[in-house]
Amino acid sequence: MKKRTVLLGVTLVILIAVMAGCKDSESKASNEQGGNEDEGSGFSIAMRTLATPYVESHPDINDDKYVKELEKLTGTDINIRLVPHNEYVERMTLMLASNDIPDVMQAGGGVLGPELAGGVEAGAFMPLDDLLKEHGQHLLEAIPQEAWDRVTYDGKIYAIPEYLSNPSRRGTAIRMDLLEKTGLDVPKTTDEFLEVMRAFKELGVKNPYQGREDFKYSDTFFGAFDAFPYQWELYNDQVVPKFMAGDKIKDALEYYRTMYEEGLIHPEFLTIQQPEYRSNIIAGNTGMWSMNAEEVNAWEQEIQNNVPEAEVAIIPSPVGPDGKGGHYLYGQVTRSFLISSETDANVEDIIKFFDWQVTEEAERFFTYGIEGDTYELSEDGTVDYEMKDDTNFLNEQHYRNRWLWMIRDATYTKGILELTDEGQELMSVFDDILSNEGRDSILYDPPLEAMESNPDIRPGSDTPSDVWMTGAAKIILGQEPLDYHDTIVEEWLNKGGSQAIEEATKRYNEDDGVLSR
């Protein structure tokens, strides 16, 4: 992979000066949420809340019983600094631009994302190859090479990755009890899905399909048309956004406009944020939605608290003209953890902390909790763990399984799912449904320079750019005709899109940092 200068929100000059300066260790040891650091075994870590209810409602996460037990099991004293989910990039870049940088930082699906503000290129984080060889043997054995490749820059490993063995993670959820009332079969095509949504509306379902801002977790039907507006593909010998690859994006927009005009999608779906999105579903007001499939059983239990007869299932996503469909495929890495090159902590202990997380002891702890408290262990090693249909219990389990457990195969928590018939059915959903669907994209690591320097045209990992989203909303709401999309494309090109396409095509042809083809 070639080195390159990346234009970023926080200039590298400031970042290098900050990282090279004297570090205030006393400030570093303090934490807004409490916690202490003992010399040698203590370290601070910045972690995104990921909108996890247990985390965001906790008065002091460092005083949580599971954090305390984790410290006991690993012989460490960790100081967690929570980074608000919706302010992640801004808070991370500000942290990097200050002199109060934690010892470990959680990044997204790689080491060159905007939240790290060019820190890897600037030397803000240390390469881990030698440390892993000496103290991270479990990590090297457990984590697939493809995941290590995603956290490698200039030939060196800069992070420890949480990974996915199955990148098709999102699924289309439907209220099967409502579908049964309609008398219709499980829909397959986009036309059949429209028929089901219309039938839901006739039943009085408030939101036949639940939407969410910027099409996040509500882009199911873009997948049917292979027109995710944040993905790229090779089209007429150029690498372009999928919204420029023929007229399929107009077909997708026309579909969503139909849903909006007929009241099949929440009327304010363009602005609804995650809490309201989730609460509408849990309240029983929704017939169909998109979600991380692993959570379907927990959500069903919560819905049943309000609608006892509710039954939820993950079904194959709608297929479009090419007979395919599905949500976007996640990257091989979901979270990555980097160590500051200026840390005063014992880096060997940090590596050992993460290395422990892929052991059998760690799997039992993160899956079932604390022996004698949340589960019992028999002499023959059998775990006695009681599942409960309780929101607080489920939120606590979700936090332990998916947030506090930092390094694992994040596809699903096998130890939980295999306890029940429903869980075993869900594992088959991953194997038999999700593994056979999903839309991939051409990705670049490091990102395209032209995109990094033009935030208006830069999409998120699963959300479109501001320029495209603003224009598309006008089409869906009926304020502009479908052909207005040509104007959106023109604006996108004029704001730096032409340079992005040129750069993307050149790098594709030279196989320079191309993650998928």
Side-chain angles (χ1 to χ4, degrees):
M1 184 181 296
K2 298 179 182 178
K3 282 189 174 181
R4 51 175 48 81
T5 301
V6 182
L7 299 177
L8 303 148
V10 178
T11 67
L12 298 185
V13 174
I14 294 176
L15 181 58
I16 294 171
V18 167
M19 296 304 299
C22 293
K23 195 168 187 180
D24 186 342
S25 59
E26 181 179 349
S27 173
K28 172 172 168 283
S30 66
N31 181 7
E32 299 169 0
Q33 304 210 31
N36 299 308
E37 294 187 24
D38 296 331
E39 184 177 356
S41 63
F43 64 91
S44 55
I45 179 171
M47 294 180 64
R48 188 176 187 177
T49 64
L50 298 176
T52 307
Y54 185 93
V55 175
E56 295 189 338
S57 64
H58 204 295
D60 183 356
I61 199 66
N62 284 297
D63 197 41
D64 177 67
K65 68 178 182 179
Y66 294 110
V67 173
K68 294 295 186 183
E69 184 70 11
L70 177 58
E71 292 175 324
K72 177 182 175 182
L73 291 168
T74 57
T76 56
D77 184 5
I78 58 176
N79 179 5
I80 300 174
R81 302 182 182 186
L82 297 180
V83 182
H85 183 68
N86 292 329
E87 303 172 24
Y88 175 56
V89 173
E90 295 84 352
R91 291 291 188 94
M92 290 284 281
T93 52
L94 285 173
M95 204 178 295
L96 281 164
S98 74
N99 63 348
D100 188 25
I101 301 170
D103 304 303
V104 179
M105 297 188 78
Q106 175 218 313
V111 295
L112 301 175
E115 73 276 11
L116 294 178
V120 170
E121 301 96 314
F125 302 101
M126 63 173 61
L128 305 177
D129 302 75
D130 292 340
L131 286 164
L132 288 167
K133 290 177 183 177
E134 188 171 356
H135 306 287
Q137 288 299 318
H138 292 108
L139 292 168
L140 293 174
E141 292 173 5
I143 298 173
Q145 185 59 46
E146 293 82 2
W148 289 117
D149 291 343
R150 288 298 305 272
V151 294
T152 297
Y153 173 72
D154 199 25
K156 297 178 181 178
I157 295 173
Y158 279 90
I160 301 170
E162 179 185 53
Y163 64 96
L164 285 173
S165 60
N166 182 353
S168 183
R169 188 179 183 184
R170 292 185 185 177
T172 300
I174 191 170
R175 284 276 302 279
M176 293 297 291
D177 57 302
L178 295 175
L179 182 64
E180 184 177 355
K181 289 181 179 180
T182 68
L184 297 172
D185 294 329
V186 173
K188 296 179 180 178
T189 67
T190 51
D191 287 342
E192 290 172 354
F193 270 80
L194 270 180
E195 184 180 7
V196 168
M197 286 186 281
R198 287 165 177 155
F200 282 169
K201 184 179 179 182
E202 291 179 4
L203 288 177
V205 178
K206 190 173 183 179
N207 306 309
Y209 180 84
Q210 177 63 54
R212 183 174 162 188
E213 62 176 343
D214 296 336
F215 290 113
K216 193 174 182 70
Y217 284 95
S218 56
D219 53 5
T220 307
F221 301 101
F222 282 104
F225 294 97
D226 192 19
F228 287 124
Y230 47 81
Q231 289 190 334
W232 292 62
E233 69 173 84
L234 185 66
Y235 181 76
N236 290 340
D237 297 324
Q238 285 188 310
V239 178
V240 300
K242 287 186 176 181
F243 63 73
M244 289 180 59
D247 290 331
K248 58 187 181 181
I249 189 66
K250 293 182 180 180
D251 295 334
L253 288 172
E254 184 176 25
Y255 193 93
Y256 275 91
R257 186 166 67 179
T258 297
M259 291 172 63
Y260 176 78
E261 290 175 347
E262 296 187 16
L264 306 180
I265 191 170
H266 194 291
E268 298 175 358
F269 81 96
L270 291 171
T271 57
I272 287 179
Q273 296 186 359
Q274 193 272 346
E276 185 178 356
Y277 172 87
R278 187 178 189 278
S279 65
N280 285 340
I281 295 170
I282 299 303
N285 296 326
T286 301
M288 193 184 308
W289 64 93
S290 170
M291 68 181 301
N292 284 338
E294 186 186 5
E295 300 180 26
V296 65
N297 291 339
W299 282 38
E300 180 186 57
Q301 291 170 359
E302 291 191 66
I303 296 171
Q304 288 172 348
N305 291 332
N306 299 302
V307 186
E309 69 274 15
E311 294 181 10
V312 181
I314 298 293
I315 62 173
S317 297
V319 298
D322 64 355
K324 300 177 182 179
H327 296 82
Y328 92 104
L329 296 179
Y330 280 67
Q332 189 76 29
V333 174
T334 53
R335 292 186 293 179
S336 55
F337 296 85
L338 302 89
I339 301 177
S340 167
S341 59
E342 296 294 320
T343 180
D344 295 325
N346 187 319
V347 293
E348 295 179 1
D349 286 343
I350 296 176
I351 296 296
K352 291 176 182 177
F353 169 81
F354 287 112
D355 190 68
W356 175 83
Q357 296 200 23
V358 294
T359 65
E360 290 184 6
E361 181 183 41
E363 182 177 3
R364 185 166 62 243
F365 164 67
F366 289 116
T367 302
Y368 307 116
I370 302 171
E371 183 180 357
D373 180 7
T374 57
Y375 77 93
E376 299 293 338
L377 188 64
S378 65
E379 292 183 1
D380 64 359
T382 303
V383 172
D384 181 11
Y385 180 78
E386 181 184 0
M387 293 288 293
K388 301 177 183 178
D389 296 340
D390 175 77
T391 299
N392 291 333
F393 171 86
L394 295 171
N395 285 342
E396 184 175 305
Q397 178 179 268
H398 179 270
Y399 150 74
R400 195 178 60 241
N401 294 168
R402 303 192 60 184
W403 190 86
L404 191 61
W405 196 355
M406 305 169 202
I407 306 298
R408 65 168 192 141
D409 179 355
T411 304
Y412 54 72
T413 307
K414 181 179 179 182
I416 294 296
L417 296 186
E418 64 187 5
L419 292 176
T420 63
D421 292 339
E422 294 82 5
Q424 294 175 32
E425 290 176 7
L426 181 54
M427 287 192 286
S428 69
V429 165
F430 277 93
D431 295 337
D432 302 333
I433 296 179
L434 298 185
S435 63
N436 296 315
E437 65 180 37
R439 299 289 193 176
D440 209 352
S441 172
I442 295 176
L443 301 171
Y444 296 90
D445 192 15
L448 299 173
E449 291 183 21
M451 301 294 284
E452 292 300 295
S453 59
N454 292 281
D456 287 346
I457 65 167
R458 183 178 66 220
S461 60
D462 61 349
T463 53
S465 67
D466 290 343
V467 166
W468 188 90
M469 189 67 235
T470 300
K474 296 177 181 179
I475 294 176
I476 294 172
L477 298 179
Q479 299 171 1
E480 297 286 355
L482 277 174
D483 285 342
Y484 180 72
H485 191 268
D486 298 336
T487 302
I488 302 173
V489 170
E490 183 178 355
E491 182 180 3
W492 187 88
L493 290 171
N494 290 336
K495 288 196 171 185
S498 295
Q499 292 87 341
I501 291 173
E502 181 180 354
E503 180 187 354
T505 304
K506 181 176 185 294
R507 287 181 59 181
Y508 182 87
N509 291 333
E510 296 176 355
D511 196 17
D512 177 14
V514 182
L515 297 180
S516 57
R517 300 182 69 86

